[in-house]
Amino acid sequence: MVRVRWKPTDGAMPLTSHSPRRAVPSNLPTMSKKREWELRDPEAKAEARNYAHPVPSRTYILRFLEERGVPVPFDDLAEAFELDPRERRALTVRLKAMVRDGQLIPNRRAGYCLVDRIALVTGVVNAHRDGFGYVVPDQDGADDVYLSPRSMRQLMHGDRVAVRIRGHDRRGRPEGSLVEVLERNTSSVVGKYRRKHGVGFVVPENPRIQHRIVVPGDAVATARPGQIVLVKITAQPTPHSQPIGRVVKVLGRPNAPGIEIEIAIHAHGLPTEWPKAVERAVRRLGKDVPAEAKRGREDLRHLPLLTIDGADARDFDDAVFCEPTASGWRLYVAIADVAHYVEAGAPLDEEARNRGTSVYFTRRVLPMLPELLSNGLCSLNPKVDRLCMVCEMRVGRDGKVSRPRFFEGVMRSHARLTYEEVAAMLFDGDAELRREHVQLLPHLEDLHDVFRALLAQRRKRGAIDFDIPEAYVELGEDRRIESISTYERNDAHRMIEECMIAANVSAARFLDRHELPTLYRVHDKPTEERFKDLKAFLATFGVPFPRVKEIQPRHFAQVLDRIKGKPYHTLVETVLLRSMARATYQPDNLGHFGLALPQYVHFTSPIRRYPDLLVHRAIKHALTGKKPDSFSYTPKDMDRLGKHCSMTEKRADDATRDAIAWLKCEFMLDKIGEVFEGVITGVTSFGVFVQLQDVFVEGLVHVTSLENDYYEFDASRHRLFGARTKKVYQLAAPLRVRVANVDMEQRRIDFEPVEPKVRSTAKRAPGKVPDGASRGRRRPTRPKRRRG
């Protein structure tokens, strides 16, 4: 079988061992001479290598249209490129993909136009729950384009569109008008089925979808009002009508156990079913590693490699081992060799790319790979042979990593340990565990020594070390929350984390040295606006940010050191984290700000992250001695894959966060009226957000719930200030609250303050009447002011 890259979005047929490089109909003359586009297209060789019926690349099509200087219809393009019928079909799919990606747009005469020549902005619609929206442009660095609620009537969150800038709104934001919907990305919606005045409709659970999906009487299926349903969109919204759909699945009542996961899955479009082609491919795999797959690999089965993960982990990506040397240590990081089983372009690969990442809900996982691979053949389970990709490194006593070597190996994990077990053995001196794992103890102590050296180097370079406790949800047998507590990392977590960072950095340097396109894990520094807000926030606590011309990670680390042990430490740390940009995947190496590293990739989790699988393929390509230009992926391929993988990562985060928010709301339903101690975690013009100290649930104290007054919002000091009462509600201040309301549909919890009433301590002289009042007559009262 020839390993190839298959691009389904471009529509060309992949090469296999059974398909000719070009199949020309018998009634057409054979073209022995190369066509003009084959001579001028810089990517023609890659097209011919990867497709049975190659057509001009996107790059050449864009250049051709630029040279023509006018919109060109499809027939003229096909004639100019001298394409046969099969190639014309492939070109049709490629042009559709270019329209969808915002590179081209057809005009009313069916001519293909260059988007940048007709002053259009293409991008993805980001809808707001208040009805308006933005277009996030495809062009990096371009400002988002505002769309009015009127424009949003015919759009849904996630649609790809082309808009024309028609001016700027009163805030100076570019405002656009819709020109073309390039691609509809909402085909189904999950929500609550309702009926009103004889008309059935579905209210989406996703607050970004403001439309009500009309469900005709013959499309209701078995749904009953109040049930959560999945509805398939049969007609998209228009300027004059709501979208229309039909119920395809009844998920259950809103209070059904586990309903929050079903809602999150369908609201965010997470794939749950395996295509039949994937199921067939998995059935062909055995449960054990075949002997022929082990040939030619370095045998590491004698090394006491072991896995250290969470207690509930089921897929084990990585195993570690180290041994002392004269100058430090030799560290092995062995990673599951997923690329051996998941070939580029195969059905398994396409579904893994589609999913992008595994999604971890409470008590349920949506894996990126089928269970036979994720928990079986690829997982580094103890006492069984497994194929692995190994990064062998030398770590000096100063924590510097040198002489990394990558190779394919076969290993056998000697033990599966948890973070808690390792911490108990190394730091708590648990005698029973130490006796049980007496043979592994020396290796664990060596790992701890390596960790301390790597940690010293991390601090020296000024990496930011966030250590915010995570909320841990404990579910009962009925799949409802029993308790919410915090889960804090220990040095066992950090030990494995530092080993993985060392391997990831080594992989980035290896691929950079071999000049292979890859996906870097990029973390940019905070924007000027966020940095300005952060400095103002820190000033409210008397914590100055270092005065520097250019901010560096070490400056954030200095702030964290300065606030250690303070009551507001966790809050300030959270605000620092929120000020950071979100890390993304992209082919351009811009460094990792948070880790203070000039280059960084993800190499250590290919079972659950698709970018890691791409990194493994690039390393394997280099190990075979092949040239970069023969690699199956181009920088443009990586650019598209980077955007997709960043999207799937965010999609997973949003889905799991929504599921937890649902569970927290459900947890608080029977606590309405109860009083809790809390701390103010956010201040806005409409109220303050309070997190309860005991149950780690956040809710809103609306400004109308505060003491009757006009409240001024001071954004720089993060506080609300009462004009008459002088009452101040400030970030990080304690506040006792009562649970007032829980809105399951909006995932919102409302609190009201419980504060002692302040009585005047001024003493009044006996018999003295206050100014403005007279004996025997009631003092006139002022009308009450309306709350702010």
Side-chain angles (χ1 to χ4, degrees):
M1 184 68 153
V2 181
R3 293 188 182 183
V4 298
R5 173 170 57 95
W6 168 223
K7 288 184 181 177
T9 55
D10 282 355
M13 180 181 295
L15 283 173
T16 68
S17 56
H18 305 293
S19 58
R21 185 162 299 279
R22 170 173 297 147
V24 181
S26 57
N27 59 339
L28 292 177
T30 303
M31 300 180 194
S32 57
K33 189 171 91 173
K34 284 194 175 182
R35 294 163 288 188
E36 182 180 0
W37 72 265
E38 292 174 302
L39 297 172
R40 297 183 60 192
D41 190 342
E43 299 175 21
K45 289 184 180 179
E47 291 289 329
R49 182 173 63 249
N50 295 323
Y51 300 121
H53 306 289
V55 295
S57 68
R58 295 186 181 211
T59 301
Y60 184 78
I61 292 171
L62 294 174
R63 183 195 299 173
F64 180 85
L65 291 173
E66 182 69 38
E67 291 175 353
R68 281 290 181 98
V70 294
V72 181
F74 173 82
D75 288 339
D76 292 355
L77 285 173
E79 184 177 347
F81 298 149
E82 303 176 54
L83 303 183
D84 64 38
R86 290 185 183 182
E87 293 169 334
R88 288 170 70 98
R89 288 195 292 272
L91 179 65
T92 299
V93 180
R94 172 152 293 177
L95 291 174
K96 287 182 179 179
M98 293 178 73
V99 170
R100 185 192 63 236
D101 291 343
Q103 295 177 297
L104 302 175
I105 189 168
N107 61 17
R108 295 182 180 180
R109 298 181 180 179
Y112 286 95
C113 312
L114 295 168
V115 169
D116 56 358
R117 293 291 296 271
I118 53 178
L120 296 183
V121 175
T122 62
V124 177
V125 173
N126 187 4
H128 192 275
R129 64 177 63 207
D130 290 338
F132 59 89
Y134 294 94
V135 175
V136 181
D138 296 324
Q139 182 182 358
D140 293 336
D143 293 334
D144 292 351
V145 180
Y146 173 78
L147 292 176
S148 67
R150 183 175 181 179
S151 297
M152 289 296 295
R153 288 179 188 172
Q154 55 188 312
L155 298 173
M156 298 183 80
H157 179 70
D159 286 347
R160 288 190 56 81
V161 298
V163 297
R164 179 176 286 107
I165 305 297
R166 66 180 187 186
H168 293 76
D169 65 8
R170 57 187 179 184
R171 297 185 183 179
R173 300 172 298 186
E175 186 170 356
S177 59
L178 181 65
V179 174
E180 185 82 19
V181 178
L182 304 178
E183 184 183 23
R184 294 286 190 178
N185 279 329
T186 301
S187 59
S188 60
V189 172
V190 64
K192 183 178 289 186
Y193 176 67
R194 291 179 174 174
R195 287 186 67 84
K196 191 172 183 180
H197 304 303
V199 178
F201 58 96
V202 171
V203 181
E205 287 290 335
N206 189 342
R208 292 180 181 272
I209 300 178
Q210 291 292 301
H211 301 82
R212 299 295 182 260
I213 317 301
V214 178
V215 181
D218 58 352
V220 175
T222 60
R224 297 290 180 266
Q227 289 182 320
I228 305 296
V229 301
L230 178 65
V231 60
K232 183 177 179 61
I233 305 296
T234 57
Q236 294 286 345
T238 71
H240 310 292
S241 64
Q242 294 278 23
I244 300 173
R246 60 182 176 86
V247 174
V248 294
K249 187 176 183 180
V250 177
L251 302 180
R253 304 295 301 181
N255 60 350
I259 192 69
E260 79 285 347
I261 296 178
E262 292 294 330
I263 291 173
I265 286 172
H266 293 293
H268 294 277
L270 298 175
T272 56
E273 302 295 329
W274 297 107
K276 291 183 178 179
V278 170
E279 292 178 345
R280 288 195 296 268
V282 169
R283 283 196 294 268
R284 289 194 292 268
L285 298 172
K287 294 183 178 181
D288 300 316
V289 179
E292 60 270 17
K294 304 174 189 178
R295 296 194 187 104
R297 291 174 173 261
E298 290 195 30
D299 194 341
L300 303 181
R301 285 174 286 190
H302 64 286
L303 291 182
L305 285 153
L306 49 88
T307 63
I308 304 175
D309 293 273
D312 56 351
R314 295 177 62 191
D315 50 353
F316 308 120
D317 293 275
D318 54 87
V320 292
F321 165 74
C322 82
E323 57 186 1
T325 64
S327 58
W329 301 268
R330 180 183 285 107
L331 174 63
Y332 291 85
V333 175
I335 307 299
D337 191 357
V338 176
H340 176 82
Y341 299 100
V342 183
E343 295 186 0
L348 267 171
D349 179 54
E350 290 304 318
E351 184 60 18
R353 182 199 62 80
N354 180 38
R355 297 186 176 215
T357 181
S358 297
V359 187
Y360 297 89
F361 294 104
T362 306
R363 292 197 177 182
R364 183 174 176 184
V365 178
L366 298 182
M368 186 182 80
L369 298 172
E371 190 171 348
L372 181 68
L373 288 173
S374 61
N375 296 345
L377 267 179
C378 291
S379 184
L380 305 182
N381 300 324
K383 313 301 181 184
V384 292
D385 289 356
R386 288 291 182 259
L387 305 182
C388 58
M389 283 289 295
V390 185
C391 177
E392 176 192 340
M393 299 162 279
R394 298 296 179 94
V395 182
R397 300 195 185 279
D398 58 357
K400 290 186 177 179
V401 178
S402 62
R403 297 162 63 184
R405 183 172 74 95
F406 288 89
F407 59 90
E408 296 178 332
V410 56
M411 61 162 286
R412 176 174 289 209
S413 172
H414 283 223
R416 178 268 198 269
L417 300 176
T418 67
Y419 296 121
E420 290 73 22
E421 288 173 335
V422 173
M425 283 187 279
L426 291 180
F427 317 128
D428 302 334
D430 189 305
E432 184 179 346
L433 279 172
R434 290 175 72 89
R435 282 194 301 270
E436 183 182 348
H437 301 288
V438 64
Q439 294 182 338
L440 297 176
L441 266 178
H443 307 302
L444 288 173
E445 289 167 349
D446 289 337
L447 276 172
H448 190 231
D449 291 339
V450 167
F451 158 66
R452 285 186 291 190
L454 292 171
L455 184 62
Q457 185 61 221
R458 176 193 182 108
R459 288 171 176 165
K460 186 176 179 180
R461 71 174 185 262
I464 307 171
D465 191 9
F466 290 113
D467 197 14
I468 301 173
E470 296 182 18
Y472 179 74
V473 175
E474 184 69 29
L475 297 184
E477 293 301 323
D478 59 355
R479 300 184 69 179
R480 289 184 168 85
I481 294 182
E482 283 190 350
S483 64
I484 305 176
S485 57
T486 55
Y487 180 78
E488 297 185 10
R489 294 190 309 155
N490 55 43
D491 273 358
H493 293 84
R494 299 182 184 94
M495 184 170 70
I496 295 302
E497 180 182 292
E498 287 302 321
C499 292
M500 297 305 110
I501 290 174
N504 287 335
V505 172
S506 298
R509 291 173 178 170
F510 179 86
L511 294 178
D512 191 43
R513 186 167 65 251
H514 286 83
E515 299 181 345
L516 282 163
T518 190
L519 285 182
Y520 291 94
R521 182 63 168 176
V522 172
H523 184 223
D524 205 356
K525 63 184 180 182
T527 62
E528 287 294 331
E529 184 179 356
R530 286 190 175 186
F531 181 54
K532 183 179 178 181
D533 292 342
L534 176 62
K535 287 200 297 184
F537 166 75
L538 292 174
T540 63
F541 293 95
V543 181
F545 197 90
R547 293 186 177 182
V548 292
K549 290 184 179 179
E550 184 177 358
I551 56 174
Q552 299 291 338
R554 66 175 181 273
H555 302 137
F556 286 81
Q558 291 169 9
V559 171
L560 290 174
D561 288 338
R562 195 173 292 136
I563 64 172
K564 272 186 179 177
K566 303 289 185 183
Y568 47 80
H569 173 266
T570 300
L571 178 63
V572 172
E573 196 171 7
T574 302
V575 174
L576 281 173
L577 180 61
R578 289 175 180 173
S579 72
M580 299 287 178
R582 184 181 178 91
T584 59
Y585 294 105
Q586 59 184 70
D588 298 323
N589 178 28
L590 303 180
H592 197 291
F593 181 83
L595 293 175
L597 291 168
Q599 51 200 166
Y600 194 67
V601 299
H602 274 166
F603 161 75
T604 54
S605 295
I607 292 178
R608 62 184 180 88
R609 291 188 307 224
Y610 194 75
D612 302 55
L613 178 56
L614 294 174
V615 167
H616 279 232
R617 286 175 180 158
I619 291 174
K620 283 174 174 282
H621 183 85
L623 291 177
T624 59
K626 296 178 182 177
K627 298 289 183 65
D629 59 2
S630 65
F631 187 40
S632 297
Y633 300 92
T634 66
K636 288 189 176 182
D637 294 330
M638 288 296 179
D639 183 57
R640 286 193 291 271
L641 287 167
K643 290 176 181 177
H644 173 76
C645 291
S646 298
M647 180 277 292
T648 57
E649 180 187 48
K650 186 177 184 303
R651 179 179 67 182
D653 290 344
D654 290 345
T656 52
R657 185 169 52 249
D658 282 358
I660 292 295
W662 175 282
L663 286 172
K664 287 183 176 181
C665 287
E666 187 179 54
F667 179 65
M668 298 300 292
L669 273 175
D670 61 353
K671 295 172 179 59
I672 294 176
E674 294 186 23
V675 176
F676 295 88
E677 300 294 334
V679 61
I680 297 176
T681 56
V683 182
T684 68
S685 59
F686 54 83
V688 295
F689 288 94
V690 175
Q691 180 174 294
L692 307 185
Q693 292 183 350
D694 296 329
V695 294
F696 307 100
V697 169
E698 192 175 64
L700 173 68
V701 176
H702 197 270
V703 69
T704 55
S705 299
L706 303 178
E707 188 174 348
N708 193 24
D709 200 354
Y710 288 104
Y711 287 91
E712 298 176 6
F713 173 50
D714 187 343
S716 63
R717 297 185 180 182
H718 295 265
R719 68 176 189 174
L720 285 176
F721 180 76
R724 176 178 60 84
T725 61
K726 311 302 181 187
K727 181 70 177 176
V728 176
Y729 296 90
Q730 189 161 4
L731 201 65
L735 186 63
R736 203 161 184 244
V737 296
R738 179 184 292 109
V739 182
N741 184 50
V742 176
D743 188 337
M744 294 295 298
E745 289 188 6
Q746 297 294 325
R747 315 286 196 278
R748 191 177 70 190
I749 302 171
D750 293 324
F751 298 144
E752 57 186 17
V754 179
E755 301 173 286
K757 293 184 178 179
V758 180
R759 295 184 179 179
S760 175
T761 58
K763 294 184 178 179
R764 187 185 303 167
K768 184 174 181 181
V769 180
D771 293 340
S774 59
R775 289 185 177 89
R777 190 174 62 182
R778 199 173 185 180
R779 182 182 179 184
T781 58
R782 297 179 183 176
K784 289 184 178 180
R785 291 189 180 185
R786 187 177 181 181
R787 289 175 179 157

